[in-house]
Amino acid sequence: MARVYNLNPGSGADRPPKIDFDAELNPQQLAAVKAPPGPALVIAGAGSGKTRTLTYRVAYLLENGIKPENILLLTFTNKAAREMIERVSALVPVDPRALWSGTFHSIGNRILRRHADRLGMTRQFSIMDREDQKELMVSVVKDSGLDVKALNFPKPQVLSDIFSMARNTGTNLRDYIADSYSYFDQLADEIVKMRDAYQDKKLSTNSMDFDDLLIKTLTLLREHDDLRELYQHQFEFVLVDEYQDTNLIQSDMIDLLAGKHGNLMVVGDDAQSIYSWRGADFRNILNFPRQYEGAQVYKIETNYRSVPEILTLANSAIRSNTEQFEKELAPHRSDQETLPALVMLSDTNTQAVFVAQRIQELQEEGVELEEIAVLYRAHYQSMEVQMELTRQGVDFNITSGLRFFEQAHVKDVATFMKFVANRMDEVAFKRMARMLPGIGDKSADKLWKQWLACEGSRKEVPDGFSKYMLDFAVPTKGKKDWTQLVYILDELIDVDGSLQPPSMMITSIVEGMYADYMKAQFSNYENRKMDIEQLENFSSDFEDVEEFLTQLSLLAGTDTDVTGKRKKEQETNVVCLSSIHQAKGLEWKVVFVIWLAEGMFPNGRVLEDDYDGSGLEEERRLFYVAVTRAMDELYLTYPLIWPNAHSGQVMQSPSRFLEEIPSEQVEEWQVGRGDW
């Protein structure tokens, strides 16, 4: 039997004073933070200090001699990972770069950058965002020779969404088409062929989409025993944030990485699982205690956000769900002696007038506009409120739905860099070429084929581009600009064949041609110029262009801008109008939840397809998320009449979620017309 020998974590003489965990945490948080090794599920209720618990758990592990590089912290946003590591660094002196922390996609990228050759790709692969994906799909569809118009074939973006959802849910593509896109059933054979061609195209262009960052990482871990053992050995402790939002691929990835030591702590709230429509699997968190034998379950139920009156209502709102870990949010704050308001309005316009008027009254009472939110189930339900707030001069900002906005000028500059870093990036090459006069899709495709045919497209060639590209057959109108473009590409490579630092690349691109392009292309040139300057400032922190491009790709569509900081709206003191999905994780002093009518919330289409009750339970969780965003005041409103263009005026009944709340937990408001 082998002898066990433990290394001391280090000399105590130079170590800082230990954290007083007992003083810093409440008893429930403390129990989770000091959990013994092994599998653990932490059910952290809304506003209960989930991030604080995770942060102190990492600090606790470090204090007890676990090395930073042996800890893996998986999150759903780069912002969350960054904030947690910053907090850990403030508690325990540690180099945050030593910790493996970040989103599933960023950790997958980190692993793939080391071992992509095992998958038949180079480590310089490009990461495609949604627009890149669409362009590559356009190329695939075009190469297929299908008469897409005659067939009424799905658009490239629809194809991408179909492929992505099937992959992330582990569903056979044909089955997924039959279940979710039955109107494409007769095209299933062609869609499957397109999927296969798309996969081949990504391989030949040394490119990956976001799904690949997870799926190919999982493939590496499953098919290569040495790599799986390497990372399993390294990650002694694995921690996962927002576990209720994981999909099948992410869950399998977690299981493999934690497979050796079994020290897996997942943190989340089953009552806030609301993303099944994008592949999240509620069963992952629900089945965790059954999947991991001996798993300890910790509940954190003290809420620091909301007044007791709101929490009492929230507890009632979720109680009817049968599939859940039972818990009772307990208030840390004192009674406010004001109940949440239940407000029936005569119609949708009156609902909007009420919301706008009450917001102005709250403002007069000292509540800042930025401390107020109007939440709704679907984006279209905000229309009347938008119009009324505009009419009454109340500033607002709309954040409904997921936003994957990328500014064209930032992507244009990055395109030059992506191509130089990966000479087989077809999407980058063609986007770059189409910026020139006289070069459209057909000309760009011909230029690409010329590039593939020449020696310069080989990755191992270290020299510049003018040696090969100046002789290409280019449309006469674009010949001069093509020559300029080629010389700019040369400038992006140092004399020794290495790539210039990102900031120097951006300077060459902008001064060489892109500043003139912006002047001719965009009316707000000065604003876009400042954006590029900000991009250049951000790039100065990077020496390696591949790392810089990776960060740009990973940040696309998240809640951060190119500086890595949280986006700020154009106006800071404005009311927030948001879908409930987009509001998860946020909080406001005052929240209006509107359109609480049956068929509107819960959503009628969800109820129609709800064969097992799971759809209704997710709708109820969505309502729970909405009400737990409120700190001080909560208004629940519904219109009695819905003007409908096809059906005339439709009478509506209050949402069943309102009927489930005891009458003594709300104050009914009767809204009248006052004196004219």
Side-chain angles (χ1 to χ4, degrees):
M1 183 174 179
R3 178 183 297 186
V4 176
Y5 182 83
N6 294 320
L7 296 175
N8 292 324
S11 170
D14 298 325
R15 297 180 67 189
K18 288 202 171 191
I19 302 167
D20 188 350
F21 291 97
D22 292 4
E24 296 288 334
L25 304 165
N26 69 39
Q28 291 180 329
Q29 293 170 338
L30 183 66
V33 166
K34 290 189 172 183
L41 169 63
V42 180
I43 300 296
S48 65
K50 169 179 65 67
T51 300
R52 185 177 184 81
T53 302
L54 262 179
T55 299
Y56 275 82
R57 174 62 174 177
V58 175
Y60 180 77
L61 294 175
L62 292 169
E63 269 213 350
N64 282 274
I66 304 302
K67 295 180 179 179
E69 60 268 26
N70 296 137
I71 299 173
L72 172 63
L73 173 61
L74 290 163
T75 65
F76 272 84
T77 67
N78 289 301
K79 175 177 176 286
R82 187 171 54 252
E83 286 184 351
M84 278 191 241
I85 296 308
E86 287 174 354
R87 294 186 190 184
V88 169
S89 298
L91 293 169
V92 183
V94 62
D95 181 357
R97 293 173 297 181
L99 281 158
W100 276 62
S101 66
T103 63
F104 286 85
H105 293 89
S106 64
I107 296 299
N109 171 72
R110 190 169 175 180
I111 293 173
L112 289 168
R113 289 293 178 192
R114 295 178 169 188
H115 313 291
D117 55 307
R118 301 280 190 105
L119 299 168
M121 305 181 75
T122 77
R123 300 176 187 182
Q124 294 76 37
F125 62 83
S126 294
I127 301 174
M128 300 189 298
D129 59 23
R130 287 178 68 87
E131 187 175 337
D132 295 334
Q133 214 177 335
K134 178 182 176 182
E135 288 198 38
L136 195 66
M137 196 71 72
V138 168
S139 176
V140 169
V141 173
K142 182 180 178 181
D143 291 345
S144 72
L146 279 177
D147 188 345
V148 293
K149 290 186 178 180
L151 291 172
N152 197 24
F153 204 68
K155 299 290 186 182
Q157 191 57 62
V158 176
L159 286 174
S160 296
D161 291 343
I162 292 173
F163 299 160
S164 178
M165 195 64 171
R167 296 176 81 191
N168 280 291
T169 56
T171 307
N172 176 275
L173 181 56
R174 292 179 186 275
D175 292 340
Y176 183 70
I177 293 169
D179 290 341
S180 302
Y181 291 85
S182 57
Y183 43 87
F184 288 144
D185 256 349
Q186 74 280 10
L187 299 171
D189 289 343
E190 288 78 9
I191 292 174
V192 170
K193 290 177 183 176
M194 210 66 70
R195 186 269 316 273
D196 295 341
Y198 172 61
Q199 300 286 32
D200 291 342
K201 193 77 166 178
K202 287 188 292 182
L203 188 62
S204 68
T205 58
N206 199 39
S207 302
M208 295 191 196
D209 58 31
F210 275 88
D211 293 334
D212 289 325
L213 295 179
L214 301 182
I215 293 168
K216 290 188 180 296
T217 300
L218 192 59
T219 299
L220 278 176
L221 296 174
R222 281 175 171 167
E223 298 182 359
H224 298 271
D225 295 345
D226 59 327
L227 296 183
R228 181 174 65 253
E229 292 170 7
L230 170 69
Y231 289 104
Q232 284 183 342
H233 178 77
Q234 177 176 347
F235 299 134
E236 295 181 28
F237 286 83
V238 178
L239 299 94
V240 185
D241 189 19
E242 302 286 9
Y243 188 68
Q244 78 280 348
D245 294 336
T246 54
N247 62 27
L248 176 65
I249 303 301
Q250 290 161 333
S251 176
D252 287 349
M253 185 173 162
I254 293 166
D255 294 343
L256 282 177
L257 290 172
K260 177 179 174 62
H261 299 285
N263 298 324
L264 171 62
M265 176 176 282
V266 300
V267 182
D269 183 5
D270 57 295
Q272 297 187 67
S273 179
I274 58 174
Y275 294 123
S276 65
W277 53 275
R278 69 183 191 196
D281 193 339
F282 175 66
R283 294 169 298 180
N284 290 344
I285 192 168
L286 205 64
N287 295 336
F288 187 89
R290 292 190 288 272
Q291 181 181 355
Y292 287 90
E293 186 178 351
Q296 297 295 311
V297 178
Y298 301 88
K299 294 181 181 179
I300 305 176
E301 298 169 296
T302 301
N303 176 287
Y304 294 88
R305 175 186 298 153
S306 306
V307 295
E309 294 84 354
I310 291 174
L311 293 185
T312 300
L313 184 148
N315 288 326
S316 297
I318 198 65
R319 193 165 286 130
S320 295
N321 271 12
T322 58
E323 295 287 334
Q324 65 168 313
F325 291 101
E326 291 188 10
K327 58 183 172 297
E328 193 84 4
L329 292 179
H332 179 76
R333 298 178 59 188
S334 302
D335 289 353
Q336 185 166 288
E337 300 181 357
T338 301
L339 293 174
L342 176 59
V343 190
M344 182 193 74
L345 289 311
S346 59
D347 55 36
T348 55
N349 288 326
T350 306
Q351 177 178 246
V353 171
F354 168 77
V355 170
Q357 179 176 311
R358 187 70 192 116
I359 286 174
Q360 291 177 89
E361 292 170 351
L362 288 164
Q363 192 177 19
E364 292 172 359
E365 295 168 12
V367 180
E368 297 289 341
L369 290 180
E370 63 186 355
E371 296 172 331
I372 302 172
V374 182
L375 306 182
Y376 34 82
R377 175 62 179 83
H379 178 67
Y380 73 86
Q381 294 169 350
S382 70
M383 190 56 59
E384 291 88 357
V385 173
Q386 289 183 50
M387 294 173 63
E388 186 61 27
L389 290 176
T390 300
R391 190 180 71 81
Q392 298 199 26
V394 179
D395 294 329
F396 64 91
N397 181 64
I398 303 173
T399 61
S400 304
L402 296 172
R403 305 176 81 183
F404 294 97
F405 177 74
E406 285 189 271
Q407 297 181 101
H409 48 297
V410 174
K411 279 189 63 67
D412 285 345
V413 171
T415 289
F416 289 79
M417 305 164 77
K418 290 176 77 171
F419 175 68
V420 172
N422 175 15
R423 296 181 177 217
M424 296 301 291
D425 191 331
E426 179 180 354
V427 171
F429 179 96
K430 289 182 176 179
R431 181 186 181 111
M432 191 172 58
R434 286 196 302 269
M435 293 181 200
L436 308 184
I439 299 181
D441 290 341
K442 290 183 179 179
S443 296
D445 190 53
K446 290 178 181 178
L447 288 166
W448 172 248
K449 290 175 181 176
Q450 292 180 68
W451 172 245
L452 287 181
C454 76
E455 185 186 359
S457 62
R458 311 296 185 265
K459 298 178 185 66
E460 60 269 22
V461 175
D463 53 357
F465 297 85
S466 55
K467 178 179 178 181
Y468 312 98
M469 288 183 165
L470 290 179
D471 295 328
F472 283 9
V474 181
T476 303
K477 189 184 293 185
K479 186 67 177 177
K480 179 181 177 182
D481 293 275
W482 175 260
T483 301
Q484 180 65 17
L485 168 64
V486 172
Y487 283 130
I488 291 172
L489 294 177
D490 279 349
E491 288 185 24
L492 307 187
I493 301 177
D494 211 337
V495 290
D496 62 358
S498 63
L499 300 181
Q500 295 278 14
S503 60
M504 293 182 65
M505 283 191 174
I506 293 173
T507 299
S508 294
I509 295 164
V510 173
E511 293 182 356
M513 67 169 284
Y514 197 70
D516 290 337
Y517 177 84
M518 282 196 294
K519 290 175 183 175
Q521 194 75 10
F522 307 118
S523 59
N524 56 344
Y525 162 71
E526 289 296 336
N527 290 337
R528 293 178 186 257
K529 178 185 175 184
M530 286 189 288
D531 287 339
I532 299 300
E533 289 173 354
Q534 186 77 348
L535 180 70
E536 188 172 356
N537 292 337
F538 174 56
S539 73
S540 63
D541 291 332
F542 298 84
E543 285 297 321
D544 181 75
V545 69
E546 289 164 7
E547 182 185 356
F548 171 69
L549 291 172
T550 293
Q551 287 303 310
L552 280 189
S553 297
L554 293 174
L555 288 171
T558 67
D559 55 0
T560 57
D561 60 18
V562 295
T563 67
K565 299 178 181 178
R566 183 177 178 178
K567 288 181 180 178
K568 293 182 179 179
E569 304 302 339
Q570 291 180 350
E571 297 178 79
T572 55
N573 191 26
V574 296
V575 175
C576 177
L577 273 58
S578 175
S579 69
I580 301 167
H581 285 103
Q582 185 71 5
K584 183 175 175 291
L586 303 176
E587 62 185 23
W588 294 269
K589 285 187 176 180
V590 182
V591 169
F592 294 81
V593 185
I594 64 174
W595 274 96
L596 281 163
E598 192 70 7
M600 295 296 176
F601 193 7
N603 182 278
R605 285 176 295 179
V606 171
L607 299 182
E608 288 175 9
D609 300 330
D610 192 22
Y611 62 91
D612 61 356
S614 61
L616 174 59
E617 295 220 341
E618 180 158 334
E619 290 288 298
R620 189 176 285 112
R621 294 195 295 269
L622 192 61
F623 178 57
Y624 175 83
V625 168
V627 299
T628 54
R629 299 311 94 198
M631 300 168 66
D632 298 341
E633 297 185 41
L634 175 65
Y635 297 84
L636 307 174
T637 76
Y638 67 95
L640 190 61
I641 297 173
W642 175 35
N644 186 289
H646 301 285
S647 310
Q649 292 189 334
V650 178
M651 291 291 294
Q652 300 190 126
S653 57
S655 167
R656 67 184 70 188
F657 300 150
L658 297 177
E659 301 289 343
E660 293 169 355
I661 298 170
S663 58
E664 66 270 14
Q665 294 179 7
V666 296
E667 180 183 26
E668 292 191 32
W669 286 30
Q670 294 183 348
V671 177
R673 278 287 182 186
D675 295 330
W676 291 88

